[in-house]
Amino acid sequence: MDKLYEGKSKIVYEGTEPGTCIIKYKDTATAGNGVKKEDLPGKGLLNAKISNLIFDYLAKNGVKTHLIEVLDETSVLVKKADIVMVEVIVRNVAAGSFSKKYGVPEGTKLLNTVTEFSLKSDELGDPMINDCQITALGVATQAELDELKAVSLKVDQLMSELFLKCGIKLIDFKLEFGRVDGELLLCDEISPDSCRLWDAETDEKLDKDRFRRDLGNVLDGYRDVLARLEQAI
Ligand code: UDP
């Protein structure tokens, strides 16, 4: 298979049909823009399964995604998209960089859902960027940004409902989108690597913060999320 790109946690290959790619999930965990790096055997499989379940659920609820077919336990066939070079971050509860930047204790419920954009650039450390700056740089149009925000809020509603059924609070998450034939599709993955997920009763962290903050038993959290999702869906 022709490798198109190797990222921190996934490899992208040319697909079998024109206009497709194969994404393979790796076991590597990274944080702090790749400064902290470790191999966690089994992570790729867990993230692939969790992400596929969520993408399926979102598609059934009217969200357009890049996913065509699950190929095996760590690989999916997807539509080849022109990736929009911004990440959309959605926050329901203060945590992580938001808490640090604005001096708000982690766990503070936000009065409204927050959407933010970061420029996708490892070199620059994914800096936060606003609508005006994005359109000025020609990274996306205002119409695209409006749609990205609307779809991201819909994803937030759908995922919050799903996770609540699992006894999990959806604190925040990151989404990526791509253009295919003039349409915006949800791309990349949705997993404990890209979401903050806290147990609804105990606030125990079940996500990548276990790795980022050296809390231990990283994959036990991911396994717990998968088991609960499989029961709820
Ligand atoms: N996130 C991500 N990739 C990134 C940055 C953030 O998946 O490059 C996710 C992260 O897991 C969290 C949410 O986006 O669920 C918000 O992250 P935040 O801005 O608080 O950054 P962090 O504290 O992770 O540096």
Side-chain angles (χ1 to χ4, degrees):
M1 281 193 294
D2 277 344
K3 194 196 278 190
L4 294 175
Y5 167 82
E6 177 154 4
K8 287 179 285 223
S9 62
K10 291 186 288 293
I11 307 175
V12 183
Y13 299 96
E14 193 72 62
T16 37
E17 304 288 320
T20 65
C21 296
I22 291 170
I23 298 180
K24 180 153 179 79
Y25 287 74
K26 302 198 293 185
D27 285 340
T28 320
T30 65
N33 204 8
V35 174
K36 185 174 157 75
K37 189 171 171 185
E38 216 177 290
D39 210 43
L40 298 177
K43 182 175 86 86
L45 183 149
L46 288 165
N47 275 355
K49 280 194 166 174
I50 292 168
S51 191
N52 294 341
L53 279 176
I54 295 175
F55 267 65
D56 235 31
Y57 162 79
L58 293 174
K60 282 188 185 124
N61 285 282
V63 178
K64 291 179 210 139
T65 86
H66 69 160
L67 184 63
I68 301 172
E69 194 188 346
V70 175
L71 297 176
D72 61 41
E73 287 193 316
T74 54
S75 308
V76 286
L77 183 69
V78 301
K79 291 183 185 165
K80 192 183 235 173
D82 162 31
I83 294 294
V84 180
M85 292 308 281
V86 291
E87 298 182 341
V88 187
I89 291 176
V90 181
R91 303 179 187 275
N92 298 308
V93 174
S97 70
F98 185 93
S99 286
K100 206 182 253 179
K101 196 179 296 171
Y102 301 112
V104 190
E106 284 207 312
T108 308
K109 176 92 184 87
L110 299 168
L111 299 180
N112 54 264
T113 306
V114 171
T115 54
E116 294 170 9
F117 295 112
S118 334
L119 186 66
K120 267 176 71 66
S121 165
D122 285 344
E123 211 170 77
L124 301 173
D126 295 347
M128 199 170 162
I129 186 164
N130 67 28
D131 290 40
C132 198
Q133 294 165 322
I134 294 171
T135 55
L137 294 174
V139 172
T141 65
Q142 189 60 52
E144 286 180 322
L145 295 181
D146 292 344
E147 191 176 336
L148 292 191
K149 281 187 225 179
V151 176
S152 298
L153 289 175
K154 178 172 178 172
V155 169
D156 181 46
Q157 260 189 355
L158 288 166
M159 286 216 300
S160 294
E161 274 171 34
L162 174 65
F163 279 118
L164 206 62
K165 276 201 240 164
C166 304
I168 291 173
K169 284 192 271 194
L170 179 61
I171 304 299
D172 59 26
F173 58 95
K174 182 260 310 175
L175 298 178
E176 297 192 22
F177 292 85
R179 307 174 183 95
V180 178
D181 300 331
E183 265 194 335
L184 284 170
L185 305 184
L186 182 63
C187 293
D188 197 48
E189 69 177 292
I190 301 181
S191 73
D193 269 11
S194 63
C195 302
R196 285 197 169 90
L197 304 167
W198 295 2
D199 181 90
E201 296 283 308
T202 64
D203 279 351
E204 185 190 5
K205 294 174 181 25
L206 304 171
D207 55 66
K208 193 166 139 184
D209 273 346
R210 288 188 181 219
F211 173 72
R212 293 189 189 98
R213 301 177 187 190
D214 295 317
L215 303 177
N217 302 323
V218 176
L219 293 189
D220 285 348
Y222 288 44
R223 274 188 277 273
D224 193 0
V225 170
L226 176 60
R228 295 197 209 189
L229 276 175
E230 281 177 334
Q231 232 188 359
I233 286 181

